[in-house]
Amino acid sequence: MAQGGKRSEIFRALARELPREWKDLGRELRLADAVVETIDVDCRGGVQEKCYQVLLHWNRKGGNPSLDDLAEAFNQIRRSDLVPLTKQRGFDGFKSILATILTVRIIWELATNFGYPPATIEEIQSAQDGILLMITCMEQRGQIKPTDITKLLNALRIKELYGIVGKIQRCFIETLSPNGGYGAFKIALSALLTVGVISDLATFFEYPDNLIVELQNAEDGILLIITCMDERGQITPTDISPLLNAIRIRKLHIDVKQVGDCFHKFTATNSGPPQMNRQLSPELEGSKKKLIQQLERKYLRLTKQVQPIPFIKDKRSIDKVFTEVGMNYKPVGDDNTWQKLSSHHDLLSGIFGRSRIQIIEGDPGYGKSMMSLRLAYDWCTGDPRSPLNNIDILICLNLRQLGGLKSVYEAVVKCLLPLDSSIRELDVEQLLQNENVKTLILFDAYDEYPDKDIDDNFVSQILQENILQHVQVILTTRSSCIPEGCDGLTGRIKLTGFDGRAREEYVRKVVTGGDEEATRRILAQFNTNSILEDICQAPLFSVIYAHSVHEAKINIDFSSVTEFFGYMVHCFHDHAQNKAQTKATAEEAAMLQGFKNNHDNLDKLSYGALSAENQQLTWDKEIFVAELGKEFYERHIDIGILVEEEVINRNYPKQPNPYKAEVRFFHKLFCEWYAAHHLARRLRSSQSSLPENLVDLMDPSDLQHVYRFACGLDPLAAPPVLDLLKRKKDCDRFAVLCALEQKGTADDALDTVRDLVSRDVCIKGDDSRLLQRTTIQLVELACQHGIPVSCLHIEYRFAEFDITNSCFVLEAGFRLANMKTLKVLHMEECYTAHDITGDELLWLLHACERLEKFWFDSRRALLPLSIAPEMFSPALKERNINGGNRFSQAS
């Protein structure tokens, strides 16, 4: 058995088949319990990845140990069906594994379908090794070959044995890869095509109407159309360009690049597939090499100038500060389920299937741009763990800078290449359009793209596959600003922020440099206040707070995001003053204090930028300085809240200077902070509701912090903001956060609570910890003051009843204890540790004294079929409570 890469392939195949017993396997392989537990805690990629890591650890520990030991371990944990996977590769290996997949009933149905003589069928049925005999018969009759098992799969589909078709397909491909030949390609192609594209392909190829009808109605339509394409020369052992052209022209939901790579994988010879290899001309090959060199220099310069927070002036390399944030991904085609992703190295992995486009979404300050820089760094340095190793050209563009540009080729030349570069837009276009050049385009900050609302902008053209259909795309954006038109083949990744372990890693690596005492002191500060801990789920807030605490060595308590952010801004001013080399005169100190407290012009400018039809997030330096004054501008540049950038002058050479200076905020959240001051002043002066046009231009789902900060800055701003959010569709949840920010009398707070719980209240596992905690506080505060809670929706993957402590426990560790005034409870797709017992149901009914209805819409939270009447108290019997579960008969 070959070692290295092939053994890794075996481990991957085994990991897919062993979802539950991976811990048992680890212990059977004599890995220490501590190692198994470490893998369980540290690995974020699910049980499949944990199993894979166990196998890798065993392999490293034993120095490529014998696979016979692994086979024996499978026998011990009663998974002998996996033993063949450890034994053989090639066609013999496939036949061995096939013998473990087929059953006596299946081979009888296959023999009948293939039209074997009655005597042969009887011999197969009566033989002790009937399954092996059936496999031999299929091989002798050409129904399975080393290059093709289409006839076997066809027979299985006709018999509606769909459950094992995919397993046999995967087994065939894995055991014969990479030399499986044209037949293996056709099997792999059947896994890439979908039923929905059959008619489109048949129409494009102008098949007769009766054949199209047959394809549409056939149970094995996918295999049938592959056979038709093969017979008509639309796919051949040396050329599949007609199929690739059909996919592009018809804009089918199939990844052209993946089909091409699959063909090359199974049919390539030393000279490569002749009809697909679009070789570059010597001139274009030279341009490619030069482009890669210039991009690498650009990206390395950017990745060496990372500034974790505004007042840290010494720039650092991205690899010195980057810390993995929590990530969830949504499998392609699944609109409901989010699963954990272990590392940014998995972004281009096979978990996204045929996905050509991946969207990385996250709330403000959750590390989207840092992720983009890290990916660029990995590409430049050739990190062996990175999937970008297979990418020839990486185009990394910050969309904030691309307003007015007409093409990605223009953007590359004007924003990424030096002025004296000999590479033209045409060179870039030819390289990116060539399918033999593996290209990834990384669009950062789509939510800040000035042209995103303009029809047919070039970014939308790429996302909608009107151009560059073969190019892979990663796009980062706020969760509230997902591009329209992204279909079901788009991979979705959500950044979930820092957990305690990530925060500790960052503090130790970046803030304290490994000083354990300082690390413990800083981490202890995060735990002093649950609100602070939740606020610092956002990596930006966590980083700012950690550095500020390290500098000031003080403990500050916060009860809202407004208090937190305001304190941080004051820290930036104070830090700059303390670091000044010369002591300010009384006049200078007064001026600096004025800049700290009076920033009306910056507030107005920020408000105007965010409320404009197209948000303006960068300014020409000369215009900006004229608006704010030179001293004010220089102060905020020195603090780091404002950042000055030298960018290419797009009007050059019409204008003499090839570069110009632009100004932006260190982070968009600072723009929202100052805009909130102006909004609060407007509301205080008019004491009226917000203008309707502002609602449209400053969408709360995109600019929630403007409204939250405004409520926290001025009690008079809170009522109209809350009224707006309660009236605007899908913004009730942000109203909860704004309610937490406001400062006012107890009566004002209870009026807000009463209004919010008069409509449906929702707790979602995908929401930030701060929003979840705030929603729970809202419900408990209402119950504490006897305010009816109309309806509580719980959308969580896991929850359980804790009768001993009289509370309901959610997966994130939150506890809902007071539900006295709850009237309706709805749990959707929520798993419990076990079906709900009678005692748990009775506790719920007693705890919710005003409950009128409950509904558990989940297969994993089934109600008891019956409860003995004597278990109901007299008071409970008098209440008219309706309830049930859609998946159980109890009600």
Side-chain angles (χ1 to χ4, degrees):
M1 174 69 205
Q3 303 296 326
K6 288 189 176 180
R7 183 166 282 203
S8 178
E9 288 178 19
I10 291 176
F11 291 166
R12 283 289 184 196
L14 288 167
R16 278 193 288 269
E17 304 297 333
L18 198 72
R20 291 184 296 274
E21 303 95 334
W22 70 272
K23 284 189 177 182
D24 295 334
L25 176 64
R27 295 184 178 108
E28 196 61 42
L29 292 173
R30 298 181 180 176
L31 299 186
D33 286 347
V35 172
V36 175
E37 292 306 317
T38 298
I39 291 173
D40 193 19
V41 172
D42 291 349
C43 183
R44 301 182 183 179
V47 291
Q48 180 176 317
E49 182 63 24
K50 290 176 182 179
C51 182
Y52 180 64
Q53 292 300 325
V54 161
L55 291 167
L56 286 182
H57 194 90
W58 167 75
N59 195 49
R60 289 192 296 266
K61 171 175 170 276
N64 286 327
S66 170
L67 290 177
D68 290 339
D69 294 338
L70 182 58
E72 180 57 30
F74 283 127
N75 285 325
Q76 292 299 321
I77 64 171
R78 299 181 180 180
R79 287 303 304 269
S80 56
D81 57 303
L82 298 180
V83 169
L85 271 177
T86 69
K87 297 294 185 183
Q88 291 179 298
R89 303 291 282 175
F91 191 53
D92 288 339
F94 165 71
K95 290 188 292 182
S96 296
I97 301 172
L98 181 61
T100 69
I101 297 174
L102 298 179
T103 65
V104 173
R105 183 182 68 84
I106 290 174
I107 63 172
W108 178 82
E109 294 196 20
L110 285 174
T112 304
N113 178 268
F114 287 139
Y116 287 3
T120 303
I121 296 177
E122 184 177 349
E123 181 184 359
I124 291 172
Q125 286 181 309
S126 59
Q128 187 174 358
D129 55 349
I131 293 176
L132 294 177
L133 179 58
M134 179 65 193
I135 291 172
T136 301
C137 290
M138 289 191 292
E139 184 178 8
Q140 290 172 347
R141 289 166 169 79
Q143 287 139 359
I144 58 171
K145 304 175 184 178
T147 58
D148 192 2
I149 59 167
T150 305
K151 291 182 179 179
L152 170 60
L153 297 179
N154 191 25
L156 291 170
R157 289 177 185 266
I158 290 174
K159 289 296 183 179
E160 299 184 356
L161 299 172
Y162 303 112
I164 64 171
V165 169
K167 182 177 286 190
I168 293 176
Q169 280 180 324
R170 188 169 65 243
C171 165
F172 181 75
I173 293 168
E174 288 172 348
T175 53
L176 282 97
S177 172
N179 298 313
Y182 181 55
F185 162 70
K186 290 192 289 183
I187 299 302
L189 180 62
S190 71
L192 296 176
L193 300 182
T194 63
V195 174
V197 305
I198 293 176
S199 295
D200 285 321
L201 287 173
T203 302
F204 178 83
F205 289 134
E206 299 181 348
Y207 288 180
D209 290 343
N210 61 333
L211 179 54
I212 294 177
V213 172
E214 181 182 353
L215 287 166
Q216 290 172 332
N217 296 323
E219 294 178 349
D220 56 337
I222 292 175
L223 291 174
L224 182 57
I225 196 168
I226 290 173
T227 301
C228 291
M229 290 190 293
D230 190 17
E231 292 172 347
R232 289 164 171 76
Q234 286 134 4
I235 57 172
T236 72
T238 59
D239 184 19
I240 61 167
S241 55
L243 170 61
L244 298 179
N245 288 334
I247 294 172
R248 290 191 202 97
I249 294 170
R250 299 288 293 190
K251 298 180 182 178
L252 304 182
H253 291 171
I254 302 172
D255 189 334
V256 174
K257 181 178 180 300
Q258 191 171 10
V259 173
D261 289 347
C262 178
F263 178 76
H264 187 280
K265 173 182 177 181
F266 288 109
T267 64
T269 61
N270 291 335
S271 60
Q275 299 300 322
M276 291 184 58
N277 191 12
R278 296 172 56 192
Q279 294 291 343
L280 304 179
S281 66
E283 294 80 8
L284 200 56
E285 189 67 52
S287 296
K288 173 187 171 185
K289 183 176 180 180
K290 192 177 297 183
L291 175 63
I292 291 172
Q293 291 172 343
Q294 293 178 5
L295 290 174
E296 285 181 346
R297 284 197 291 269
K298 173 74 171 182
Y299 300 153
L300 284 174
R301 188 163 62 250
L302 292 174
T303 58
K304 298 291 183 182
Q305 299 178 350
V306 177
Q307 196 176 355
I309 63 172
F311 63 66
I312 293 182
K313 296 304 180 183
D314 56 316
K315 305 296 176 64
R316 309 186 186 189
S317 175
I318 185 68
D319 62 309
K320 303 300 182 186
V321 300
F322 180 80
T323 302
E324 292 279 9
V325 299
M327 290 184 289
N328 292 337
Y329 76 95
K330 185 177 289 186
V332 174
D334 186 340
D335 293 332
N336 300 312
T337 306
W338 290 93
Q339 301 178 22
K340 288 189 180 298
L341 196 66
S342 60
S343 165
H344 72 284
H345 294 310
D346 295 329
L347 288 176
L348 298 176
S349 65
I351 60 175
F352 295 100
R354 300 191 299 276
S355 171
R356 183 183 70 88
I357 300 170
Q358 294 178 18
I359 295 177
I360 301 175
E361 61 183 272
D363 288 337
Y366 270 60
K368 300 179 290 295
S369 293
M370 291 290 280
M371 181 73 73
S372 298
L373 284 175
R374 179 69 208 215
L375 290 171
Y377 179 84
D378 289 349
W379 179 74
C380 292
T381 58
D383 189 325
R385 299 166 297 173
S386 173
L388 272 68
N389 270 331
N390 297 321
I391 299 298
D392 295 323
I393 295 176
L394 172 67
I395 305 298
C396 188
L397 292 165
N398 190 312
L399 290 175
R400 182 183 66 244
Q401 303 171 347
L402 305 189
L405 298 185
K406 302 303 181 184
S407 73
V408 67
Y409 321 117
E410 180 187 5
V412 171
V413 171
K414 289 189 174 181
C415 298
L416 297 180
L417 302 186
L419 278 175
D420 59 354
S421 175
S422 61
I423 297 175
R424 305 161 299 164
E425 287 185 30
L426 180 60
D427 298 325
V428 178
E429 181 176 358
Q430 290 177 339
L431 286 169
L432 266 58
Q433 289 185 349
N434 193 297
E435 295 173 19
N436 206 41
V437 180
K438 293 185 178 180
T439 303
L440 169 67
I441 300 178
L442 199 166
F443 290 128
D444 186 32
Y446 177 80
D447 54 289
E448 299 181 24
Y449 180 36
D451 296 346
K452 64 178 179 293
D453 295 324
I454 298 176
D455 292 339
D456 295 330
N457 63 71
F458 74 85
V459 176
S460 297
Q461 291 289 315
I462 293 174
L463 294 178
Q464 294 169 12
E465 300 188 338
N466 293 328
I467 57 174
L468 300 178
Q469 298 95 336
H470 63 285
V471 171
Q472 291 182 276
V473 178
I474 293 178
L475 178 142
T476 74
T477 184
R478 289 190 178 193
S479 299
S480 57
C481 193
I482 305 298
E484 294 182 1
C486 290
D487 57 38
L489 291 181
T490 300
R492 295 279 294 276
I493 302 99
K494 178 181 288 187
L495 304 186
T496 59
F498 270 2
D499 57 14
R501 187 182 60 185
R503 190 179 300 125
E504 179 179 350
E505 179 185 342
Y506 180 86
V507 170
R508 180 175 284 108
K509 179 171 72 173
V510 185
V511 182
T512 68
D515 184 329
E516 291 302 320
E517 182 178 349
T519 299
R520 285 194 296 271
R521 181 181 62 80
I522 293 172
L523 293 176
Q525 305 287 350
F526 286 99
N527 299 324
T528 58
N529 183 315
S530 60
I531 295 293
L532 174 63
E533 185 177 5
D534 293 341
I535 290 172
C536 290
Q537 182 184 0
L540 175 66
F541 292 162
S542 189
V543 166
I544 290 176
Y545 185 69
H547 284 281
S548 300
V549 169
H550 186 54
E551 291 277 334
K553 294 181 172 58
I554 57 175
N555 181 15
I556 302 294
D557 197 12
F558 304 102
S559 61
S560 69
V561 175
T562 306
E563 286 185 3
F564 175 87
F565 208 85
Y567 173 75
M568 294 298 107
V569 172
H570 279 272
C571 278
F572 299 158
H573 282 275
D574 295 342
H575 178 86
Q577 185 63 40
N578 295 336
K579 292 293 182 181
Q581 295 182 356
T582 57
K583 187 174 182 179
T585 64
E587 183 179 351
E588 290 171 336
M591 180 181 68
L592 295 177
Q593 187 66 26
F595 291 160
K596 180 178 177 180
N597 297 324
N598 303 311
H599 34 75
D600 292 3
N601 287 341
L602 182 58
D603 300 342
K604 185 176 181 180
L605 184 145
S606 301
Y607 178 87
L610 295 180
S611 61
E613 185 171 352
N614 291 316
Q615 291 181 12
Q616 179 183 359
L617 298 170
T618 60
W619 294 265
D620 183 276
K621 176 185 175 182
E622 293 182 3
I623 297 175
F624 200 87
V625 172
E627 287 279 343
L628 301 180
K630 182 179 178 182
E631 292 84 1
F632 184 96
Y633 171 80
E634 290 177 347
R635 174 64 173 175
H636 284 76
I637 287 288
D638 185 49
I639 293 170
I641 289 176
L642 295 177
V643 178
E644 188 175 306
E645 294 178 322
E646 190 177 60
V647 299
I648 292 176
N649 187 347
R650 295 177 193 146
N651 294 320
Y652 178 80
K654 294 179 180 179
Q655 295 179 355
N657 193 341
Y659 294 97
K660 69 173 184 176
E662 287 188 345
V663 185
R664 64 174 175 85
F665 283 96
F666 175 80
H667 193 280
K668 188 177 176 182
L669 277 171
F670 288 93
C671 188
E672 296 183 46
W673 169 255
Y674 290 104
H677 283 76
H678 184 77
L679 175 61
R681 276 196 299 274
R682 283 190 59 180
L683 293 172
R684 184 192 314 125
S685 61
S686 63
Q687 295 189 22
S688 61
S689 61
L690 295 170
E692 287 300 326
N693 65 326
L694 180 63
V695 179
D696 297 327
L697 294 174
M698 295 184 69
D699 185 353
S701 62
D702 178 36
L703 300 171
Q704 57 164 293
H705 283 89
V706 174
Y707 298 96
R708 291 171 65 179
F709 289 151
C711 290
L713 289 168
D714 192 329
L716 293 178
V721 167
L722 291 171
D723 180 63
L724 162 75
L725 295 176
K726 287 179 288 191
R727 285 188 290 108
K728 187 169 176 62
K729 184 179 179 182
D730 297 328
C731 285
D732 284 11
R733 295 157 61 241
F734 299 126
V736 175
L737 290 171
C738 288
L740 179 69
E741 299 293 328
Q742 73 177 121
K743 296 177 180 178
T745 65
D747 289 340
D748 291 337
L750 289 180
D751 286 342
T752 301
V753 169
R754 185 176 289 103
D755 196 27
L756 290 173
V757 299
S758 66
R759 63 198 77 212
D760 290 2
V761 178
C762 186
I763 304 174
K764 294 185 177 181
D766 290 337
D767 288 334
S768 69
R769 288 182 59 87
L770 181 61
L771 180 53
Q772 293 178 58
R773 187 186 298 277
T774 304
T775 306
I776 290 173
Q777 289 176 341
L778 175 74
V779 172
E780 293 194 328
L781 187 61
C783 293
Q784 179 183 342
H785 289 84
I787 300 172
V789 180
S790 63
C791 181
L792 175 62
H793 292 270
I794 297 179
E795 297 181 19
Y796 243 94
R797 286 194 307 120
F798 182 83
E800 64 179 340
F801 295 92
D802 185 353
I803 299 178
T804 304
N805 296 301
S806 299
C807 63
F808 194 65
V809 184
L810 302 179
E811 181 183 22
F814 296 123
R815 293 173 176 267
L816 185 57
N818 191 339
M819 299 183 288
K820 289 183 178 180
T821 62
L822 180 61
K823 298 174 71 175
V824 177
L825 174 63
H826 180 201
M827 288 174 54
E828 184 173 350
E829 288 302 328
C830 190
Y831 288 11
T832 53
H834 50 74
D835 290 340
I836 298 170
T837 67
D839 288 340
E840 289 170 339
L841 182 57
L842 288 171
W843 171 83
L844 176 67
L845 300 180
H846 281 290
C848 304
E849 296 177 358
R850 301 189 192 179
L851 192 66
E852 298 173 359
K853 181 180 179 180
F854 64 90
W855 191 251
F856 294 170
D857 194 2
S858 171
R859 298 178 187 273
R860 292 288 301 275
L862 300 182
L863 299 172
L865 291 176
S866 62
I867 301 177
E870 60 270 16
M871 297 183 68
F872 289 86
S873 66
L876 204 54
K877 290 179 180 178
E878 293 178 1
R879 293 166 58 188
N880 183 22
I881 305 174
N882 295 316
N885 185 313
R886 182 161 64 95
F887 298 99
S888 75
Q889 297 176 349
S891 60

